[in-house]
Amino acid sequence: APLVEPAPPRTATPAAPTPAATPVPTRSASSTPATSSATATPAAALPDLVPLAAAVNANGRVTVTIGNAGQGPLMGRNVSIVGVDAAGNVLFSQLTAPLTIAPGAAVTVELSYRPPERMTVTIVLNAEGSVLESNANNNLLRVTLSPP
């Protein structure tokens, strides 16, 4: 009877190394996606356009401050700026002159639009996606604009 008891532990012992060997290839497979994400690192070198502020200047024109929150510079590119009212009507759509914005920097551009009255406007940068960005989900700014 004592010989029967040692036999089941021996059966359990070979089963234990087999599952232990299975996680090893899984970890190697995990290393491969880590290498792939390292390949995606150059995407972090893209600009990230963010509308930081919008106002009406003394001339009655809308100004928009565009920041670059990305790791890469915006180099000599035109940026579209669209203004939409609360009902979804496009109030203005303008393409900037070529802009260069270093990472962490910002520029303010003056538009030709003059709001006729106090209104809430959603500013949309790069609506058509012509500038490749690291994050295109932060291109909106909702503001209330008033003529001077």
Side-chain angles (χ1 to χ4, degrees):
L3 296 177
V4 175
E5 289 176 11
R10 288 181 189 157
T11 305
T13 305
T18 304
T22 304
V24 175
T26 304
R27 288 182 189 146
S28 297
S30 297
S31 298
T32 305
T35 306
S36 297
S37 67
T39 305
T41 303
L46 294 172
D48 177 17
L49 302 177
V50 181
L52 299 175
V56 178
N57 66 15
N59 297 327
R61 294 184 179 199
V62 173
T63 61
V64 177
T65 302
I66 303 169
N68 181 359
Q71 297 296 313
L74 177 71
M75 299 296 293
R77 297 293 307 269
N78 302 89
V79 177
S80 68
I81 303 174
V82 178
V84 182
D85 68 12
N89 301 309
V90 175
L91 300 171
F92 55 87
S93 179
Q94 190 169 332
L95 198 59
T96 67
L99 299 176
T100 296
I101 310 172
V107 299
T108 299
V109 295
E110 181 181 75
L111 308 180
S112 59
Y113 182 73
R114 297 172 188 258
E117 60 190 13
R118 180 180 167 91
M119 60 179 58
T120 299
V121 178
T122 300
I123 305 291
V124 184
L125 297 181
N126 194 29
E128 75 294 336
S130 66
V131 175
L132 188 60
E133 299 183 65
S134 60
N135 180 3
N137 296 320
N138 58 358
N139 291 7
L140 305 177
L141 175 66
R142 189 172 181 192
V143 295
T144 299
L145 301 174
S146 298

